[in-house]
């Protein structure tokens, strides 16, 4: 039998936030949707990661996206996209040693990840 796709409230919130961000350029609205969804689902790693990515892309104050990336990595240390995003923020702040440490920790879990190895090479 075919499985029916049933989107969760997190999926719907993430899709709506991305629509607000990408199609309407309503960063404030997208941020409110993400914050509300995270208040109900504080450990949903995709919501946390996507919100961090949006904030990083906007060049926002790095504190909130760093917090979001770190929450993802606490819940799922092998989520390498958040390791890469966090390392980018740290590099932007000239925190090279911390960026390398984040990538080193991620590479311990995924030693053959081309994305992680590439990012590490850019930092070095």
């Amino acid at each position: 039998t075919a499985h029916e796709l049933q989107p969760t409230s997190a999926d719907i919130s993430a899709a709506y936030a991305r629509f607000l961000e990408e199609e309407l350029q309503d960063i404030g609205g997208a941020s409110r949707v993400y914050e509300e969804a995270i208040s109900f689902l504080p450990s949903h790693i995709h919501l946390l990661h996507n919100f961090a990515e949006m904030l990083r892309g906007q060049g926002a104050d790095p504190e909130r996206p760093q917090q979001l990336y770190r929450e993802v990595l606490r819940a799922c240390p092998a989520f390498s996209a958040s390791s890469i995003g966090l390392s980018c923020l740290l590099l932007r702040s000239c925190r090279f040693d911390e960026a390398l440490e984040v990538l080193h920790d991620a590479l311990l879990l995924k030693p053959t990840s081309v994305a992680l190895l590439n990012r590490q090479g850019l930092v070095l």
Side-chain angles (χ1 to χ4, degrees):
T1 63
H3 295 282
E4 290 185 39
L5 293 177
Q6 297 293 323
T8 65
S9 60
D11 297 326
I12 293 167
S13 294
Y16 184 54
R18 290 188 70 103
F19 170 77
L20 289 171
E21 173 197 1
E22 294 173 3
E23 299 300 323
L24 302 181
Q25 287 76 48
D26 183 0
I27 303 306
S31 292
R32 286 188 295 280
V33 169
Y34 276 124
E35 291 288 7
E36 183 177 342
I38 289 168
S39 74
F40 291 110
L41 300 159
S43 62
H44 193 286
I45 60 173
H46 293 285
L47 279 174
L48 296 167
H49 175 78
N50 290 345
F51 188 22
E53 288 286 290
M54 182 192 81
L55 293 173
R56 181 173 65 91
Q58 296 301 315
D61 174 14
E63 186 175 322
R64 182 65 171 138
Q66 282 180 33
Q67 175 192 20
L68 294 164
Y69 285 131
R70 289 184 194 282
E71 288 178 36
V72 171
L73 294 171
R74 269 192 296 280
C76 185
F79 199 92
S80 58
S82 281
S83 295
I84 290 169
L86 178 55
S87 73
C88 289
L89 281 175
L90 294 169
L91 283 173
R92 205 181 279 168
S93 300
C94 297
R95 294 163 60 185
F96 302 108
D97 290 341
E98 289 177 71
L100 279 172
E101 183 179 337
V102 166
L103 295 169
H104 173 64
D105 292 348
L107 281 164
L108 289 174
L109 298 171
K110 291 186 172 182
T112 59
S113 168
V114 173
L116 289 169
L117 289 166
N118 183 39
R119 176 59 53 185
Q120 183 184 45
L122 292 171
V123 175
L124 294 173

